[in-house]
């Protein structure tokens, strides 16, 4: 009886139970597979959160995208997004293998190696779990692949959108620069080269890293984040009046500071041309002083554009008020004397270049004056006392004139050499204007015979230069070279209240005319 029970009834019952189990085994396998897929998805979401948000060491498998020598943090969609995608792919693959392997090991340990029930029950159940894990592992692969693919597609679209946004912002900024009359960039007041976009120092006092090109791109769209964490606007049009950064020239031979207003408004370049001691510096000082007094009387606002120009103008104003004479301009290349004229949309950044007279005599010296390539209005300072006819042909009656105050360079020689240099630099003189300032009118005020009949009008001054000073050839050359020529008789002096001679106001108004 025991044998019948042991070898017939028990096996028969086991087979019956096994057959009944086969009906529920698929459900068990499916549930185990679904559990594995759910576990993989949950772990992938944790991985996604760790890689994209937490960024703790256990979620980092690739080095940071920013090399140590980069001055700013890269925009997420210009490198770091691709790095995160690679990290997700690498760590996701490891996560998949580890999770599936651990699941198989747990089933092996609990159902085969050290089961808690009889093996006749644990083995079929373990085999069912094996099948379920296999199904779950197979189903999880396309599911995780779809998730990673969706993210990769999103990253690709956002990367394309970021690049398109950067190009759009650059194009908009470029259009604004063209509308401001700066298609080739702004003028460096020190080296006289055009700067497409200045380099900017980080505004944080403890950093001061210099960023060569802050425009939208790899390191930011609307704001660039410096390595120190400070955020810097990427466009000139994003820099408010109170948040304008002082740029620096990007040319290797220069690197000097530019005006904070550079690029924010149209620029006007006024080169002063004339011989040594012709009165260029004094005329420049009188021009700015005239605008300052006009602003005080309700005219267009004016302010010096940089600290160096402000300091120089303060000294020059004092010289004007005591009716003294400025010291000779240094032979070194000048920095522009810059000021901002007007307010709002009418603002203009005006650069006046006062160059030592010696540079207009030597061809090698004038070649360095590259700013004349960008000028459309030229200011020629003509000292009548530098012309021999002034001393030999004019009426000698009246008070003596101090000949030591005269320029030592012939105006015709200065003009010829200067125009030759300007022409070789490619400037279209036939599109430019010329203002001829006959200087030192104040020294001749006590000798009416030495002045034109109507010194405040252009034609009488022109006639006086041709007939009385014998400069007809010079005048004719000026009128042939330039599209428009206007003659002024100027006195670069101021009274005790700082008011400049009226002749300067007329001269300045014509020079600044659009």
């Amino acid at each position: 009886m025991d044998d019948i029970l042991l070898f017939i009834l028990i096996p028969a019952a086991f087979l019956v139970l096994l057959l009944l189990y086969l009906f529920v085994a698929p459900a068990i396998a499916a549930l185990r597979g679904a559990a594995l897929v759910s576990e993989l998805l949950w772990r992938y979401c944790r991985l996604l959160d760790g890689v994209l948000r937490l960024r703790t060491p256990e979620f980092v498998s690739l080095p940071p995208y920013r090399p140590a020598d980069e001055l700013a943090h890269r925009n997420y969609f210009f490198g770091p997004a691709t790095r995160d995608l690679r990290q997700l792919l690498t760590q996701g693959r490891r996560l998949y293998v580890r999770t599936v392997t651990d699941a198989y090991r747990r089933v092996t340990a609990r159902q085969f190696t050290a089961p808690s029930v009889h093996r006749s029950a644990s083995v079929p159940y373990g085999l069912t779990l094996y099948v379920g894990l296999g199904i779950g592992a197979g189903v999880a692969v396309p599911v995780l692949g779809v998730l990673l693919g969706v993210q990769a597609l999103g990253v690709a679209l956002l990367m394309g959108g970021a690049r398109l946004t950067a190009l759009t912002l650059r194009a908009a900024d470029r259009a604004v620069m063209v509308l401001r009359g700066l298609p080739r960039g702004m003028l460096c007041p020190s080296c006289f080269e055009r700067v497409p976009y200045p380099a900017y120092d980080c505004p944080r006092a403890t950093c001061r890293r210099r960023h060569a090109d802050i425009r939208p791109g790899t390191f930011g769209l609307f704001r660039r984040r410096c390595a120190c964490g400070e955020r810097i606007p990427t466009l000139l049009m994003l820099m408010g009046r109170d948040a304008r950064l002082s740029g620096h020239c990007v040319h290797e031979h220069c690197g000097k500071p530019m005006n904070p207003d550079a690029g924010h408004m149209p620029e006007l370049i006024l080169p002063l041309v004339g011989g040594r001691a012709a009165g260029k510096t004094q005329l420049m000082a009188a021009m700015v002083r005239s605008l300052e007094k006009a602003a005080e009387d309700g005219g267009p606002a004016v302010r010096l554009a940089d600290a160096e120009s402000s300091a120089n103008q303060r000294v020059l104003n004092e010289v004007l008020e005591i009716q003294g004479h400025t010291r000779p301009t240094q032979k070194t290349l000048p920095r522009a004397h810059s000021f901002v004229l007007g307010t709002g949309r009418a603002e203009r950044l005006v650069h006046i270049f006062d160059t030592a007279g010696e540079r207009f005599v030597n061809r090698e010296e004038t070649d360095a004056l590259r700013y004349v390539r960008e000028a459309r209005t030229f200011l020629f300072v003509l000292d009548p006392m530098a012309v021999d006819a002034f001393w030999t042909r004019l009426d000698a009656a009246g008070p003596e004139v101090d000949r030591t105050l005269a320029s030592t360079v012939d105006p015709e020689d200065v003009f010829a050499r200067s125009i030759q240099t300007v022409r070789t630099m490619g400037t279209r003189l036939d599109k430019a204007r010329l203002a001829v300032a006959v200087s030192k009118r104040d020294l001749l005020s006590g000798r009416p015979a030495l002045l034109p009949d109507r010194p405040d009008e252009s034609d009488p001054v022109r006639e006086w230069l041709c007939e009385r000073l014998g400069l007809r050839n010079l005048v004719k050359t000026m009128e042939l070279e330039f599209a428009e020529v206007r003659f002024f008789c100027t006195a670069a002096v101021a009274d005790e209240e700082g008011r400049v001679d009226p002749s300067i106001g007329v001269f300045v108004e014509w020079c600044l005319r659009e």
Side-chain angles (χ1 to χ4, degrees), residues 196-215:
Y197 229 82
Y200 290 95
D201 288 345
C202 174
R204 182 172 292 183
T206 56
C207 178
R208 311 306 291 177
R209 288 179 175 89
R210 183 163 297 179
H211 299 261
D213 189 353
I214 65 170
R215 286 176 292 181

Side-chain angles (χ1 to χ4, degrees), residues 41-55 59 84-85 88 91 95 147-148 151:
L41 290 175
W42 177 72
R43 291 181 180 276
Y44 180 80
C45 289
R46 286 192 59 195
L47 175 64
L48 193 66
D49 181 61
V51 171
L52 299 183
R53 186 180 68 86
L54 298 178
R55 301 187 183 277
F59 295 108
D84 286 348
L85 197 61
L88 281 172
Q91 296 190 43
L95 174 69
L147 290 177
L148 192 63
Q151 183 179 352

Side-chain angles (χ1 to χ4, degrees), residues 342-398:
T343 55
R345 295 180 179 272
E347 279 187 325
R348 284 185 295 169
L349 179 60
V350 182
H351 300 292
I352 302 179
F353 287 92
D354 175 25
T355 304
E358 297 90 332
R359 283 190 172 271
F360 293 108
V361 179
N362 189 330
R363 170 63 187 274
E364 288 71 20
E365 299 284 356
T366 54
D367 284 344
L369 308 181
R370 293 177 292 274
Y371 57 83
V372 298
R373 292 180 300 192
E374 310 296 336
R376 293 298 174 265
T377 300
F378 290 80
L379 282 56
F380 184 73
V381 183
L382 192 157
D383 180 6
M385 298 167 62
V387 182
D388 291 338
F390 178 86
W391 307 100
T392 59
R393 298 183 185 179
L394 299 183
D395 187 2

Side-chain angles (χ1 to χ4, degrees), residues 279-297:
K280 300 186 301 298
T281 304
Q282 198 136 344
L283 178 63
M284 177 184 72
M287 290 171 66
V288 178
R289 186 58 178 162
S290 174
L291 290 171
E292 291 177 338
K293 297 304 291 185
E296 294 174 4
D297 296 336

Side-chain angles (χ1 to χ4, degrees), residues 178-232:
V178 171
L179 291 174
R180 289 172 177 166
L182 305 171
R184 295 177 50 232
M186 52 221 76
L187 184 74
C188 173
S190 298
C191 71
F192 321 134
E193 296 286 359
R194 281 291 177 184
V195 179
Y197 229 82
Y200 290 95
D201 288 345
C202 174
R204 182 172 292 183
T206 56
C207 178
R208 311 306 291 177
R209 288 179 175 89
R210 183 163 297 179
H211 299 261
D213 189 353
I214 65 170
R215 286 176 292 181
T218 302
F219 299 102
L221 296 178
F222 296 94
R223 292 285 187 275
R224 164 183 289 224
R225 188 158 65 96
C226 180
C228 71
E230 186 74 16
R231 294 190 178 275
I232 307 171

Side-chain angles (χ1 to χ4, degrees), residues 312-332:
N312 290 340
Q313 187 63 36
R314 282 195 297 270
V315 175
L316 293 173
N317 285 344
E318 293 176 1
V319 174
L320 286 176
E321 290 174 8
I322 64 173
Q323 297 189 4
H325 298 284
T326 58
R327 62 183 178 85
T329 305
Q330 299 299 308
K331 195 175 179 181
T332 55

Side-chain angles (χ1 to χ4, degrees), residues 198-201 208 210 239 243-248 256-261 306 335:
Y200 290 95
D201 288 345
R208 311 306 291 177
R210 183 163 297 179
M239 297 181 190
R244 288 178 182 173
L245 303 177
S246 182
H248 295 262
K256 295 181 179 179
M258 298 181 64
N259 304 111
D261 297 292
D306 53 68
R335 179 182 170 88

